[in-house]
């Protein structure tokens, strides 16, 4: 049911904390960045920054299915205030170091901040669920993947040319440009069949790109709840510079498999985008 119908995963963790007055380092996947920034700007009047690659924390459990995720964390205290207080970095509570300790009690909460954060959450839900077409831009995802390939190419240059990956991503980027241009006119007055077709295509593209960018273990398993780099099948490239000859042979075959996966998945996504654009 999630594979077929889920629009996105809206993750609510540590909203409404004391001194959490800014939206810096918000968790969102690349395709949701523009949407989330627009909502935060409209509700709070603030600009926001985020993490284009969401951490694989325990609650972020839909990556393998390919579901777009955002807002694992929302508001936080400004860096200047955290430094002034001498606080070390923590993973929640709006940067309050009471997070996950016996001191994490009611005085860490702030009613006004919670009200503001809940307005942000409510607005994202209303806008995403009422949008004729889901408000995500997977061209940003492709750009993230392309940047990762460039980094891995630098590390793996002595054993493998990853240019075929960049070629596949470039073709996908062009296909997505055509799709988004064709769907600009798909508004609330469009016929239901067209709206369903466009959204189904976007979900299918997202299922492909999110799982490609975040997972190794397939659709119906869970990758370990630890830091997973962008395009984990190709991230082994980072091990090449320090590897001996035997290790490089193993890495070569691992990276070839990762490259094959990327080329295939990007091609499938491009085909969906192209066919959908032509049908409109």
């Amino acid at each position: 049911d999630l594979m077929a119908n889920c629009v996105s995963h809206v993750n609510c963790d540590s909203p409404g904390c004391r001194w959490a007055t800014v939206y810096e380092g918000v968790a969102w996947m690349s395709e949701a960045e523009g949407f989330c920034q627009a909502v935060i700007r409209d509700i709070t009047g603030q600009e926001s920054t985020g993490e284009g690659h969401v951490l694989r924390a325990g609650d972020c459990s839909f990556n393998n299915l390919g579901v777009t995720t955002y807002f694992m964390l929302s508001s936080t205290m400004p860096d200047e205030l955290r430094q002034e207080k001498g606080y070390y970095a923590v993973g929640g509570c709006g940067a309050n170091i009471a997070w996950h300790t016996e001191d994490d009690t009611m005085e860490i909460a702030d009613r006004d901040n919670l009200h503001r954060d809940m307005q942000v959450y409510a607005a994202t839900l209303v806008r995403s669920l009422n949008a004729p077409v889901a408000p995500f831009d997977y061209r940003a995802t492709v750009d993230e993947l392309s940047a990762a390939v460039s980094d891995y190419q630098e590390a793996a240059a002595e054993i493998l040319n990853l240019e075929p990956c960049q070629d596949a991503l470039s073709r996908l980027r062009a296909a997505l440009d055509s799709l988004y241009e064709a769907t600009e006119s798909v508004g609330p007055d469009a016929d239901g069949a067209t709206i369903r077709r466009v959204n189904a295509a976007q979900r299918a593209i997202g299922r492909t790109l999110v799982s490609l960018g975040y997972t190794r273990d397939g659709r119906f398993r869970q990758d370990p709840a630890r830091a997973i780099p962008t395009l984990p099948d190709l991230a082994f490239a980072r091990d090449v510079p320090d590897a001996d000859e035997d290790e490089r042979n193993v890495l070569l075959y691992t990276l070839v498999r990762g490259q094959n996966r990327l080329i295939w998945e990007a091609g499938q996504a491009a085909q969906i985008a192209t066919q959908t654009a032509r049908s409109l």
Side-chain angles (χ1 to χ4, degrees):
D1 184 44
L2 290 171
M3 278 287 292
N5 300 308
C6 184
V7 175
S8 61
H9 171 212
V10 185
N11 194 329
C12 187
D13 190 338
S14 298
C17 293
R18 178 182 63 183
W19 306 321
T21 58
V22 298
Y23 293 85
E24 297 174 353
V26 182
W28 55 52
M29 290 185 178
S30 295
E31 61 271 14
E33 179 176 66
F35 169 63
C36 292
Q37 287 180 326
V39 172
I40 291 170
R41 186 183 306 115
D42 291 346
I43 297 301
T44 73
Q46 295 187 38
E47 297 301 323
S48 55
T49 61
E51 302 294 335
H53 191 77
V54 173
L55 295 174
R56 173 60 174 90
D59 296 331
C60 192
S61 53
F62 302 104
N63 291 349
N64 291 69
L65 294 179
V67 176
T68 291
T69 292
Y70 49 93
F71 287 165
M72 179 165 54
L73 298 175
S74 53
S75 62
T76 189
M77 68 176 69
D79 282 342
E80 297 82 4
L81 179 60
R82 185 171 62 83
Q83 292 166 6
E84 177 185 315
K85 294 179 177 296
Y87 283 1
Y88 50 83
V90 296
C93 261
N96 285 273
I97 58 174
W99 181 69
H100 283 198
T101 74
E102 64 273 17
D103 297 319
D104 194 356
T105 54
M106 285 300 293
E107 62 266 21
I108 304 302
D110 183 286
R111 183 182 295 272
D112 291 337
N113 288 345
L114 181 62
H115 182 244
R116 183 203 62 231
D117 287 348
M118 289 301 95
Q119 287 179 305
V120 170
Y121 275 102
T124 58
L125 288 169
V126 169
R127 292 186 185 187
S128 63
L129 293 172
N130 287 331
V133 177
F136 307 127
D137 189 343
Y138 288 97
R139 291 173 294 190
T141 313
V142 172
D143 293 343
E144 178 193 351
L145 302 184
S146 180
V149 171
S150 294
D151 289 341
Y152 298 149
Q153 178 64 85
E154 184 175 350
E158 294 183 17
I159 66 170
L160 182 65
N161 178 14
L162 296 176
E163 193 60 33
C165 290
Q166 294 289 26
D167 292 342
L169 290 172
S170 294
R171 290 191 293 271
L172 173 56
R173 186 65 158 74
L176 288 172
D177 282 338
S178 297
L179 175 63
Y180 283 108
E181 181 179 353
T183 58
E184 283 182 358
S185 60
V186 179
D189 296 330
D191 65 275
T194 297
I195 290 174
R196 287 191 294 272
R197 184 164 65 251
V198 170
N199 280 300
Q202 189 180 80
R203 285 196 302 275
I205 291 166
R207 298 296 184 264
T208 296
L209 296 184
V210 172
S211 62
L212 178 66
Y214 282 85
T215 72
R216 295 190 182 110
D217 287 349
R219 295 287 192 193
F220 298 101
R221 295 180 182 272
Q222 285 291 334
D223 278 67
R226 59 174 181 256
I228 294 180
T230 303
L231 291 172
D233 281 337
L234 293 177
F236 295 102
R238 295 172 176 171
D239 299 330
V240 171
D242 297 324
D244 60 30
E245 184 177 354
D246 289 339
E247 290 169 335
R248 287 190 174 202
N249 287 333
V250 174
L251 288 169
L252 172 61
Y253 288 110
T254 300
L255 293 172
V256 167
R257 293 186 183 105
Q259 177 164 260
N260 289 342
R261 180 189 177 194
L262 186 151
I263 292 169
W264 172 259
E265 299 283 15
Q268 294 298 295
Q271 186 175 32
I272 293 168
T274 299
Q275 291 175 345
T276 305
R278 287 174 178 172
S279 72
L280 298 176

